[in-house]
Amino acid sequence: MKTEIIVLIAFVFVLTTNASIWRVSKDATYLPHFSEIQVAIDSASVGDTIYVYPGSYNNIAISKLITIIGSGYFHIENTKDSLTRITTDINIHQINFNKGSDYSSLIGMAMHNSGHDSGGLYIESANNIALIGNRITSLVINNSNLINIQRNYITGRTYRAIDGGNSKNLIFSNNIIHTSLGFDGNSDVILKNNYIGGDVNVTNSMLENNILMGQNFSISSSWEQYNVFKTGCNLATISGKSTFATYQEVFPTNPAADNFQLLANSAAKGKGNGGVDCGPFGGLQPYCLSGVLAIPSIVSLYGEPQVSAESGLKVRVKVKSNRP
């Protein structure tokens, strides 16, 4: 066992040290290596990182370990904090994580084609996938394990935003999910600090610190506590640590326009485990408004006009962390 651990650490180290970074854009001013994401994926080596700039792209399928980082979303709403000239979003119809894509990450990407029934993000027979800070139309997870879905904005189509089956250790935390979520009885889910606007159907799962505003709930054989359920929903029994509340008691007049931030005196404030707020803005990793990525941005860069062999080149750099 000790030998296996050493080999694994060495393998990860080699991937990290040899990894390359690629840029994808339709705009030549970004000096892209590729104009389509799929071409970049096919050309990249295992462990590489691909940065994607705004534009419309063809569908992509991932079957190797890769990290894809987009430019975020809702840029028009993010002018206060924006440190770049980006004002438009990424537009992609469908993303597939297939067998072989284990340990891949998707960060700061945006999908706009919610009007297409087949569009969305699909994870099939893959493990250890991270979806962080994306705008997603819908999500389907089948035959997969250890999927981390954190700080995403998931709109959903006509019925469910999220569904799937035969999947274990699905972790949803600090997401805004507009419509319903449901998995079959062979799946288990952790739901923590989410807003879910539709029905929830899960088995053998954990629900904690969520704001759940759907009408119908089936949470059999599950551990449930410190949640806020919609008043009048069909769930007759909740834990003694959960509560019922109306929209008006939790959110401002237009919840979606305010990204489901809480009223100052919201019924969800301080009602989570340990006294944290329920919903996506509570807990240790709160949802980030307008798709602000948790990667550093250079605010200013200044170099002295003169340089010498004795003193070198003096440079002053100001960086913003963008951490939530």
Side-chain angles (χ1 to χ4, degrees):
M1 178 63 71
K2 189 176 294 183
T3 302
E4 292 175 356
I5 293 173
I6 293 172
V7 170
L8 177 59
I9 292 173
F11 176 67
V12 173
F13 178 75
V14 169
L15 286 180
T16 303
T17 54
N18 292 338
S20 297
I21 295 176
W22 308 98
R23 295 183 301 276
V24 177
S25 178
K26 305 286 189 178
D27 186 343
T29 60
Y30 288 113
L31 302 178
H33 300 97
F34 305 97
S35 60
E36 281 293 343
I37 305 171
Q38 188 64 57
V39 178
I41 293 170
D42 294 342
S43 302
S45 298
V46 169
D48 284 359
T49 297
I50 298 171
Y51 282 90
V52 181
Y53 292 85
S56 295
Y57 299 97
N58 294 330
N59 296 347
I60 63 174
I62 304 164
S63 56
K64 65 176 73 168
L65 191 170
I66 208 83
T67 297
I68 300 177
I69 301 177
S71 55
Y73 54 92
F74 294 159
H75 292 290
I76 294 176
E77 298 177 17
N78 190 34
T79 53
K80 178 181 176 181
D81 293 324
S82 179
L83 301 174
T84 73
R85 63 185 179 86
I86 293 174
T87 57
T88 57
D89 293 346
I90 293 165
N91 189 349
I92 187 168
H93 175 50
Q94 186 169 319
I95 298 174
N96 292 73
F97 285 90
N98 298 324
K99 186 176 181 180
S101 63
D102 297 0
Y103 296 96
S104 291
S105 299
L106 188 75
I107 304 169
M109 290 288 284
M111 307 178 70
H112 286 187
N113 292 289
S114 58
H116 297 270
D117 288 340
S118 61
L121 198 154
Y122 296 81
I123 301 176
E124 180 71 42
S125 302
N127 304 311
N128 292 282
I129 303 296
L131 308 177
I132 303 173
N134 303 286
R135 182 182 179 188
I136 300 170
T137 53
S138 64
L139 175 61
V140 178
I141 305 173
N142 286 310
N143 306 308
S144 299
N145 183 44
L146 286 169
I147 311 299
N148 179 24
I149 304 101
Q150 182 183 110
R151 289 182 285 161
N152 298 279
Y153 187 94
I154 306 175
T155 54
R157 294 195 294 267
T158 305
Y159 179 42
R160 283 181 177 167
I162 302 165
D163 64 9
N166 196 34
S167 297
K168 303 291 185 181
N169 301 304
L170 309 180
I171 304 171
F172 291 82
S173 61
N174 298 93
N175 299 284
I176 293 175
I177 302 169
H178 277 257
T179 54
S180 300
L181 177 151
F183 288 92
D184 69 7
N186 294 319
S187 304
D188 60 73
V189 184
I190 294 175
L191 294 170
K192 189 169 184 178
N193 279 106
N194 301 283
Y195 164 80
I196 304 177
D199 302 341
V200 174
N201 182 357
V202 292
T203 305
N204 300 318
S205 298
M206 187 195 89
L207 296 82
E208 182 177 273
N209 300 354
N210 301 287
I211 299 174
L212 303 165
M213 288 288 151
Q215 185 61 35
N216 300 301
F217 293 91
S218 175
I219 50 176
S220 59
S221 303
S222 297
W223 185 58
E224 177 274 312
Q225 66 172 7
Y226 295 102
N227 298 287
V228 176
F229 289 91
K230 176 184 173 184
T231 299
C233 71
N234 74 346
L235 189 64
T237 303
I238 59 174
S239 77
K241 298 172 183 176
S242 292
T243 59
F244 290 105
T246 64
Y247 267 105
Q248 292 75 19
E249 293 170 324
V250 176
F251 299 116
T253 303
N254 189 342
D258 293 303
N259 287 308
F260 299 93
Q261 295 183 88
L262 302 180
L263 285 168
N265 60 343
S266 173
K269 274 200 171 289
K271 296 301 174 64
N273 194 355
V276 304
D277 292 347
C278 290
F281 294 94
L284 298 176
Q285 293 288 332
Y287 176 83
C288 295
L289 284 172
S290 303
V292 177
L293 302 181
I295 57 177
S297 301
I298 296 176
V299 178
S300 63
L301 175 64
Y302 175 77
E304 295 288 346
Q306 295 179 338
V307 60
S308 68
E310 292 78 19
S311 63
L313 175 63
K314 296 180 180 179
V315 177
R316 292 197 297 271
V317 180
K318 184 177 180 182
V319 178
K320 180 180 178 182
S321 71
N322 287 328
R323 292 185 63 82

